[in-house]
Amino acid sequence: MLLLENQAASLEGEAFDAVNISRHRIYAMSLVHDKLIESSQLTSINMGLFLPQLVGHIKDTFQGATQVNVRVRAEELVIDVSLALPLALIVNEAVTNAFKYAFPDQKNGEIYVAFARVKEQYRLEIADNGKGMNTQEKTQKNSGMGLKLIHGLCEDIDARVSFQNASGTQIIVICDSETQQEEINLDVALNHLPDLNTN
């Protein structure tokens, strides 16, 4: 994180954005690690404690975004880390995209993140009241890297994802609460990220 912060200090434009997005993704994964160490259960994460901290960090990294109101409503649900990590990366991508694209003309918008258990399923929602998504961006073929990563992570955890334009953008992820991965596979999660060109 420190190396990326030092690199970002000398960059601007698209190069700065690329490094900053990488910082967000690394923070999301490192925060999962920190919460595991804090917990007596080394295989599970309390999403009620984790999500507000993750979203708060993303908000703090966007300069000039102080007028964007961020609300997080996450139930005190303890879930397996193999599910928590992909969901953390999904939240990171969705909230980051909202800050970057939802409010191009004004900053006094709202971003809402919710996580709850509905019957035998977990429901994750990320919504904003911004300009909304282009309909072509909703498909994996036509989406940007952030949305491709969301699609790929949902496939990895057998989750259903939907995108709606309802006074802004709404992303809903539904997954089976009984489904657990056999092990944490970072290679699978990171396989959806592009290779970095170091030349």
Side-chain angles (χ1 to χ4, degrees):
M1 287 285 292
L2 183 59
L3 289 173
L4 288 175
E5 288 174 4
N6 290 337
Q7 184 178 6
S10 62
L11 299 174
E12 58 184 23
E14 293 183 0
F16 174 83
D17 290 341
V19 171
N20 209 31
I21 289 171
S22 295
R23 288 173 54 201
H24 293 161
R25 291 168 178 158
I26 291 172
Y27 180 82
M29 291 184 285
S30 66
L31 185 56
V32 169
H33 178 266
D34 289 345
K35 293 302 179 185
L36 287 176
I37 293 176
E38 293 175 5
S39 171
S40 59
Q41 301 181 23
L42 296 179
T43 60
S44 57
I45 299 290
N46 186 327
M47 296 296 278
L49 301 176
F50 171 77
L51 284 180
Q53 188 172 346
L54 174 61
V55 175
H57 168 80
I58 299 171
K59 182 180 187 298
D60 290 343
T61 61
F62 279 90
Q63 296 180 358
T66 55
Q67 296 180 2
V68 176
N69 182 35
V70 179
R71 294 187 296 128
V72 181
R73 180 177 296 177
E75 293 183 4
E76 296 279 334
L77 294 169
V78 178
I79 70 173
D80 191 90
V81 66
S82 60
L83 182 58
L85 178 57
L87 291 178
L89 289 171
I90 290 170
V91 170
N92 176 73
E93 298 302 318
V95 173
T96 298
N97 281 348
F99 273 113
K100 289 178 62 180
Y101 304 118
F103 315 106
D105 301 321
Q106 43 88 22
K107 298 294 184 179
N108 56 345
E110 182 172 271
I111 298 172
Y112 174 70
V113 179
F115 184 74
R117 182 169 181 167
V118 181
K119 295 183 179 179
E120 299 302 319
Q121 295 179 318
Y122 292 128
R123 183 182 188 276
L124 172 66
E125 176 184 355
I126 308 101
D128 65 67
N129 64 346
K131 68 173 187 175
M133 294 175 58
N134 185 308
T135 54
Q136 292 184 345
E137 294 177 343
K138 298 178 184 179
T139 64
Q140 185 171 358
K141 181 179 179 180
N142 297 313
S143 62
M145 180 51 60
L147 293 182
K148 287 180 180 178
L149 180 57
I150 291 175
H151 280 287
L153 290 167
C154 287
E155 289 179 5
D156 293 340
I157 60 176
D158 295 324
R160 301 188 307 276
V161 59
S162 63
F163 300 85
Q164 300 179 15
N165 285 338
S167 300
T169 299
Q170 181 187 45
I171 302 174
I172 297 177
V173 176
I174 303 291
C175 59
D176 190 341
S177 63
E178 300 301 323
T179 299
Q180 294 185 353
Q181 308 295 319
E182 292 184 0
E183 59 183 8
I184 304 172
N185 193 336
L186 281 179
D187 289 335
V188 172
L190 300 181
N191 188 47
H192 304 291
L193 296 175
D195 293 332
L196 295 178
N197 185 353
T198 58
N199 294 331

